[in-house]
Amino acid sequence: MTIFERIIAREIPADIVFENEDAIAFRDLNPQAPIHVLVVPKKVIPRVGEAAARDQAMLGAVLLAAGETARKLGVCSTDAGFRLVINHGRDAGETVPHLHVHLLAGRSLKWPPG
Ligand code: 5GP
């Protein structure tokens, strides 16, 4: 089981900010912005580059959950705003092999990212 599956199963605690039947969103343990939430599908695939056509609905559901989470956290405006990040592989900084979307907000984010 990945650490995120254990959070979904409530085996380990997390600060959950949104949940529906497809996804769960909880605050990152090591936040990189004032708001740093991980939006995680309940159906597990390791990383986005391994997704297949059968995962289409799940991938859409994760983005919808990210938007809903941003609205719930009050950052879904063109003034405030937020960034979604998906890391695939070592060079991108992936550490947990369970697809997840980082939702970052609460400060001005640099572009391009480091
Ligand atoms: P990745 O580097 O794979 O894109 O992102 C994994 C993220 O999961 C990291 O930002 C890391 O801080 C976070 N993380 C790892 N273990 C835990 C945990 O047990 N609880 C929470 N809330 N976040 C975690």
Side-chain angles (χ1 to χ4, degrees), residues 3-4 7 12 14 26-30 36 38 87 93-96 100 102:
I3 196 121
F4 294 164
I7 288 172
I12 55 174
F26 50 88
R27 292 188 196 275
D28 198 292
L29 207 57
N30 182 25
H36 186 174
L38 302 171
N87 295 324
E94 177 206 311
T95 55
V96 178
H100 51 281
H102 296 257

